[in-house]
Amino acid sequence: MRRSDREIIDLDRMCELLEEEEVLRLALSDAEGTYILPLNYGYKAENGSVSFFIHGAREGRKAGILQDAARDGREIPFEIDGRRSALVADSCSASYYYMSVIGKVKISVLEGDEKIDGLNTLMHHIMPAPEYHYQEEVLQRTLMCKLSVTEWSCKEHKA
């Protein structure tokens, strides 16, 4: 990282951003090419490591890439950003306040109780409630993935 003075290495501080934001972007690629996919997420920070939880349909381009990555053990790049606000300066020097987390994840497809736990984690992050109830037919057609962070860095530019 070029601007190490803006680097955040404290896990609790990084998790502040994860808690505030709702969209994680994955860089996915297949034979058709590469694309960026914005996804809602839930996360867990345990024992110094972080995992994200995402969901979608069991079929389609996204599902195919995620399932292939899980099978192959391939790492996928991710990005989350937030705390954006413009910094106005003179015409020769301008900047922007922000915080971002970038890194790589390994994908696991979840089933059974792990799938329910992952879905609960995601739902709690985007729509907190004491408990959640899922229809079995919806669960059957839902792909639930755990994204285990293998590397990441966090950067913040603030006032």
Side-chain angles (χ1 to χ4, degrees), residues 24-61:
L24 172 145
R25 292 166 191 83
L26 288 179
L28 302 176
S29 61
D30 61 8
E32 294 180 44
T34 301
Y35 71 110
I36 304 296
L37 186 65
L39 298 157
N40 291 110
Y41 67 90
Y43 78 96
K44 288 184 181 181
E46 300 172 319
N47 303 318
S49 63
V50 173
S51 297
F52 297 106
F53 298 87
I54 61 168
H55 78 305
R58 281 197 176 273
E59 296 180 13
R61 185 178 183 193

Side-chain angles (χ1 to χ4, degrees), residues 57-72:
R58 281 197 176 273
E59 296 180 13
R61 185 178 183 193
K62 173 179 71 173
I65 294 170
L66 293 173
Q67 291 168 343
D68 286 347
R71 237 183 337 273
D72 301 344

Side-chain angles (χ1 to χ4, degrees), residues 11-142:
L11 179 61
D12 291 335
R13 184 91 173 90
M14 287 187 218
C15 287
E16 287 177 21
L17 176 68
L18 302 182
E19 192 61 35
E20 291 171 8
E21 298 305 318
E22 295 179 350
V23 177
L24 172 145
R25 292 166 191 83
L26 288 179
L28 302 176
S29 61
D30 61 8
E32 294 180 44
T34 301
Y35 71 110
I36 304 296
L37 186 65
L39 298 157
N40 291 110
Y41 67 90
Y43 78 96
K44 288 184 181 181
E46 300 172 319
N47 303 318
S49 63
V50 173
S51 297
F52 297 106
F53 298 87
I54 61 168
H55 78 305
R58 281 197 176 273
E59 296 180 13
R61 185 178 183 193
K62 173 179 71 173
I65 294 170
L66 293 173
Q67 291 168 343
D68 286 347
R71 237 183 337 273
D72 301 344
R74 180 174 11 135
E75 292 181 318
I76 304 287
F78 78 94
E79 184 272 348
I80 299 170
D81 62 78
R83 298 187 183 171
R84 297 166 298 276
S85 64
L87 168 65
V88 179
D90 66 49
S91 62
C92 294
S93 175
S95 191
Y96 199 74
Y97 295 135
Y98 66 91
M99 186 173 186
S100 65
V101 177
I102 62 170
K104 295 179 183 176
V105 294
K106 284 204 173 187
I107 312 292
S108 302
V109 175
L110 303 179
E111 298 294 344
D113 291 342
E114 289 181 323
K115 181 178 187 174
I116 299 294
D117 184 55
L119 195 51
N120 286 342
T121 301
L122 184 146
M123 292 300 295
H124 181 74
H125 183 70
I126 61 174
M127 193 174 71
E131 62 182 68
Y132 305 95
H133 303 281
Y134 310 107
Q135 297 174 354
E136 188 58 37
E137 63 271 12
V138 173
L139 287 174
Q140 291 302 315
R141 60 179 191 255
T142 300

